[in-house]
């Protein structure tokens, strides 16, 4: 599987860019999966559901399956967060995995950058950032795309991974 990331600080436009890239790349005929990093105790389950009750009772893993989707919830219960490579190994094969976050991992990335967020460019200190998608013009040593030019960003990523 090919892997490419979207990184950036909070409120830089990562999630919107990810959403648009998934739509654009799948419309071009490629299969795409995503991995999203969260810095908080994200929970996709709701109190009161059967699966939530299973986890609360102490289950290490709960697999929720229906005719429409499957969800796997795993409680770390104090164990360290698994590395990205372990998470990727759990995915079914696809043409491309887009990764949101994980800015310190070694995979290639495009940085979402909004000047109003007031943060420095991650790319200035991180060579794994291969391009910047920005809402302002930048004079930089790597490609800079308009943050809203999804087709151009998708084309760049697909070229980078050889698809």
């Amino acid at each position: 599987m090919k892997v490419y990331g979207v990184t950036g600080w909070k409120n830089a436009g990562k999630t919107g860019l990810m959403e648009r890239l998934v739509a654009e790349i799948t419309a071009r005929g490629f299969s795409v999966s995503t991995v999203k990093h969260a810095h908080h105790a994200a929970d996709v389950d709701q109190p009161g559901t059967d699966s939530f009750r299973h986890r609360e009772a102490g289950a290490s893993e709960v697999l929720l399956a229906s005719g429409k989707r499957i969800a796997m919830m795993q409680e770390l219960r104090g164990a360290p967060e698994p590395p990205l490579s372990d998470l990727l190994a759990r995915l079914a094969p696809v043409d491309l995995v887009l990764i949101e976050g994980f800015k310190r991992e070694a995979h290639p990335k495009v940085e979402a950058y909004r000047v109003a967020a007031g943060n420095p460019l991650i790319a200035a200190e991180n060579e794994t950032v291969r391009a910047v998608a920005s809402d302002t013009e930048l004079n930089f040593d790597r490609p800079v795309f308009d943050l809203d030019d999804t087709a151009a960003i998708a084309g760049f990523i697909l070229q980078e991974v050889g698809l």
Side-chain angles (χ1 to χ4, degrees):
M1 286 187 300
K2 309 291 186 178
V3 173
Y4 213 92
V6 172
T7 194
W9 300 108
K10 184 177 181 180
N11 297 321
K14 296 181 304 293
T15 301
L17 179 56
M18 283 280 292
E19 182 180 12
R20 294 189 315 271
L21 286 171
V22 169
E24 175 73 23
I25 294 169
T26 57
R28 294 184 188 195
F30 296 103
S31 58
V32 177
S33 289
T34 65
V35 175
K36 161 80 173 106
H37 189 260
H39 292 284
H40 47 81
D43 196 343
V44 298
D45 208 359
Q46 300 299 314
T49 62
D50 293 349
S51 54
F52 186 91
R53 292 170 60 194
H54 295 181
R55 288 189 305 126
E56 288 294 301
S60 296
E61 291 185 328
V62 176
L63 180 68
L64 178 63
S66 75
K68 298 221 180 246
R69 71 188 49 90
I70 298 168
M72 169 67 88
M73 291 165 281
Q74 182 180 41
E75 292 295 317
L76 294 179
R77 304 209 188 276
E81 181 178 343
L84 179 58
S85 59
D86 289 0
L87 300 174
L88 291 171
R90 293 175 176 232
L91 296 177
V94 291
D95 296 318
L96 178 64
V97 178
L98 288 173
I99 299 168
E100 182 178 340
F102 292 93
K103 64 177 71 82
R104 291 175 188 84
E105 295 285 338
H107 61 278
K109 305 164 191 67
V110 61
E111 177 178 356
Y113 178 78
R114 282 198 176 124
V115 72
N119 294 306
L121 273 173
I122 294 168
E125 303 290 325
N126 186 332
E127 290 297 319
T128 66
V129 176
R130 304 276 176 87
V132 178
S134 176
D135 66 349
T136 189
E137 287 191 31
L138 298 172
N139 184 11
F140 201 62
D141 65 349
R142 281 164 257 173
V144 177
F145 296 94
D146 183 299
L147 184 57
D148 293 322
D149 193 350
T150 307
I153 299 165
F156 175 80
I157 291 170
L158 292 172
Q159 180 180 355
E160 283 269 291
V161 299
L163 290 175

